[in-house]
Amino acid sequence: HAKSLGKNNCQFYSNELNRMVHEHLLLEASLGRAIGNREMVLGYQPKVDLRSGRMIGAEALVRWNHPEHGLMGPDSFIPLAEQTGLIVPLGEWVIDEACRALKALTMLGVEDFVISVNLSLRQLRQRQFVDRLGDSLRRHAVPPSCLELEVTESLLMERPDEAKAVMARLKALGVQLSIDDFGTGYSSLSQLQAFPVDHIKIDRSFLGGKVDNGHGVITRAIIALGHSLQLKVIAEGVETREQLLFLRNNDCDQMQGYYFSPALSEQGLADMLHRGVTLQA
Ligand code: C2E
Ligand code: MG
Ligand code: MG
Ligand code: MG
């Protein structure tokens, strides 16, 4: 009896595996066509200056408007894009689209606005990455300082020397750089000092549900560390007034999170900028 059960189990796993492989291949094929089919869209989550309360920029977050699955978040296709190498054309599209949006906002009279995009390791390691990025900036006539690139701390630590070299070239181009999800990637502090970055983003896990449960201590320490290295510190995933007040009291520079706004469409972002919405605490 046990034997036949075992056999059924094997069959179950192999059917399940087949199904997963099949779905994976289907998704991979449709991902390859997604850009050409104009299925990718960027959402823009506003970033706010904690002292003035003004919107100073936005983070571009990619979404896939899949013909069958509907709107998909990045966590459900970025890993696949990274495995297959499709992250390279996708990442180029994201940067070019962000530059186009920046130009469009400028035409509407928006000034000194920064859009940040997220990068994957595979993009950073692409030989033509820096040149292509420069092409996008020129094509849309966007000042390089209006574009910011976010790389996660864990990505930097995977290849610190390679990352440093590419980041130096990006800095020379004039774009801004930030370390994303800071505090989760085990960077040594000596390494941190060697990266030519402008911002660090405190990972939202440190904000916790409540700020007085020990998480606050780490947030405060990251803010102090960032400031001692002359970096601006931004908190992500801010959802409550309590978190906001904590960040203000502890001299954090910028915030983004549902408390102020989720990611918006380009039109939604333009409307908000036009209305001059500020952060109210
Ligand atoms: P991330 O760069 O750390 O982006 C922040 C994520 O937190 C976003 O999720 C955002 O929607 C979400 N978020 C913002 N405010 C709040 C809040 O108040 N509470 C909570 N619970 N969540 C909040 P999203 O859009 O699902 O993106 C997930 C990750 O996917 C991003 O994390 C980023 O690492 C990656 N990603 C997004 N777009 C791209 C892209 O164009 N290229 C690459 N390589 N990765 C991307
Ligand atoms: Mg990010
Ligand atoms: Mg993050
Ligand atoms: Mg993240």
Side-chain angles (χ1 to χ4, degrees):
H1 188 65
K3 244 185 191 165
S4 68
L5 251 184
K7 195 177 165 198
N8 283 340
N9 268 341
C10 279
Q11 199 139 41
F12 172 77
Y13 285 125
S14 109
N15 285 341
E16 178 66 10
L17 202 63
N18 262 327
R19 194 187 58 76
M20 281 167 60
V21 168
H22 184 67
E23 272 190 6
H24 186 94
L25 290 174
L26 279 180
L27 202 62
E28 182 178 337
S30 56
L31 185 59
R33 294 186 298 257
I35 299 172
N37 289 350
R38 298 171 173 274
E39 289 164 12
M40 291 294 171
V41 279
L42 293 185
Y44 298 92
Q45 184 175 42
K47 290 185 183 176
V48 173
D49 180 282
L50 278 165
R51 291 174 196 91
S52 68
R54 293 183 55 217
M55 284 169 63
I56 45 160
E59 177 174 10
L61 295 160
V62 70
R63 277 94 182 81
W64 181 6
N65 204 348
H66 192 281
E68 285 139 50
H69 304 306
L71 204 62
M72 292 167 72
D75 290 334
S76 59
F77 62 88
I78 291 288
L80 177 64
E82 284 172 342
Q83 285 160 34
T84 55
L86 287 167
I87 192 68
V88 171
L90 175 58
E92 279 173 7
W93 178 84
V94 169
I95 289 170
D96 200 67
E97 176 67 7
C99 288
R100 191 201 52 70
L102 270 168
K103 183 66 188 176
L105 288 174
T106 309
M107 303 299 271
L108 294 173
V110 176
E111 284 172 1
D112 299 323
F113 197 75
V114 177
I115 292 185
S116 62
V117 301
N118 295 283
L119 297 184
S120 294
L121 182 62
R122 201 125 168 200
Q123 276 178 279
L124 211 65
R125 303 189 69 193
Q126 245 260 317
R127 222 158 7 98
Q128 277 142 354
F129 175 66
V130 180
D131 292 335
R132 295 253 166 93
L133 186 133
D135 287 345
S136 280
L137 289 167
R138 275 186 296 276
R139 183 162 51 243
H140 299 283
V142 167
S145 59
C146 291
L147 184 69
E148 178 166 321
L149 303 172
E150 298 190 3
V151 284
T152 62
E153 187 191 14
S154 39
L155 179 156
L156 290 182
M157 291 310 139
E158 220 166 300
R159 310 257 175 181
D161 294 328
E162 247 178 84
K164 239 172 272 173
V166 182
M167 288 171 101
R169 292 180 60 205
L170 290 166
K171 228 29 246 176
L173 207 63
V175 300
Q176 302 197 55
L177 300 174
S178 81
I179 304 184
D180 204 353
D181 301 349
F182 188 81
T184 59
Y186 310 103
S187 61
S188 77
L189 298 182
S190 60
Q191 287 284 7
L192 180 62
Q193 206 165 10
F195 290 112
V197 297
D198 305 281
H199 297 116
I200 49 181
K201 297 182 77 173
I202 308 173
D203 190 73
R204 71 164 177 266
S205 62
F206 296 116
L207 286 185
K210 281 201 170 126
V211 280
D212 60 355
N213 59 359
H215 284 108
V217 177
I218 297 182
T219 299
R220 216 180 276 146
I222 295 176
I223 295 170
L225 171 68
H227 286 169
S228 68
L229 293 171
Q230 259 65 253
L231 307 175
K232 290 240 188 301
V233 181
I234 167 156
E236 62 178 356
V238 180
E239 295 180 350
T240 68
R241 180 158 184 275
E242 189 192 12
Q243 291 170 332
L244 174 72
L245 294 177
F246 177 86
L247 293 166
R248 265 219 182 117
N249 289 337
N250 286 282
D251 208 26
C252 189
D253 301 287
Q254 303 170 11
M255 72 79 112
Q256 66 183 100
Y258 299 156
Y259 183 77
F260 183 73
S261 172
L264 306 167
S265 66
E266 187 179 338
Q267 184 64 55
L269 179 71
D271 288 346
M272 218 163 160
L273 281 164
H274 180 70
R275 285 185 284 134
V277 178
T278 54
L279 173 67
Q280 308 294 331

